Amino acid sequence: MTTWTSDELDRIAMSDELDMAPLRHDGTLRGPVPIWVVRDGDDLFVRSFRGMDGAWWRTARASHAGHIRSGGVDKNVTLVEVKDSEVNDRIDTAYRTKYGRFGGAYVNPMLAARPTTLKLVPR
């Protein structure tokens, strides 16, 4: 399995947004959507601000694949659903820490979106 380099992790984690383009069922990429991304150790995670109603997330969940761009990193990724409550607790903390300056109107929906947590694994 491919892993992130330290440089890739740092560059993506330092960026406020990541452009996510999930793979559609026909093999084409959906248009990229800017979303927030957080780091936990050597892993990167995203969530849908709109929860399970987010169009990009529904496409991502169906295909488990996509393409991301952030901080000068341009990669195909596998999207792995995260159900582990301890991991999600750490991701909640990462969202609060990284994006707290934007206030509760933006951060609270990300915390409520725990069921949409996806781990980004480079391919």
Side-chain angles (χ1 to χ4, degrees):
M1 181 189 321
T2 304
T3 59
W4 297 106
T5 67
S6 293
D7 182 57
E8 289 170 332
L9 286 167
D10 290 343
R11 288 165 54 194
I12 294 170
M14 288 175 51
S15 298
D16 275 340
E17 292 183 330
L18 173 145
D19 287 330
M20 167 64 73
L23 192 66
R24 294 182 180 124
H25 65 86
D26 67 1
T28 63
L29 290 173
R30 184 183 188 283
V33 175
I35 59 173
W36 285 355
V37 58
V38 295
R39 179 178 179 178
D40 180 45
D42 291 337
D43 296 315
L44 297 168
F45 299 89
V46 295
R47 289 179 176 166
S48 170
F49 181 83
R50 300 195 190 296
M52 292 183 185
D53 292 331
W56 77 262
W57 182 82
R58 290 191 319 268
T59 303
R61 184 175 184 223
S63 68
H64 297 284
H67 188 86
I68 60 106
R69 281 191 205 140
S70 182
V73 177
D74 197 335
K75 287 265 190 191
N76 290 322
V77 293
T78 299
L79 306 166
V80 180
E81 294 181 59
V82 178
K83 303 297 182 189
D84 184 292
S85 62
E86 289 181 21
V87 172
N88 269 300
D89 288 345
R90 292 195 309 269
I91 295 166
D92 286 350
T93 299
Y95 272 106
R96 282 187 200 101
T97 301
K98 184 174 179 179
Y99 297 108
R101 69 187 185 277
F102 294 105
Y106 294 98
V107 175
N108 291 342
M110 299 307 290
L111 304 179
R114 284 173 72 125
T116 68
T117 304
L118 296 172
K119 178 179 172 180
L120 306 177
V121 180
R123 294 191 274 134

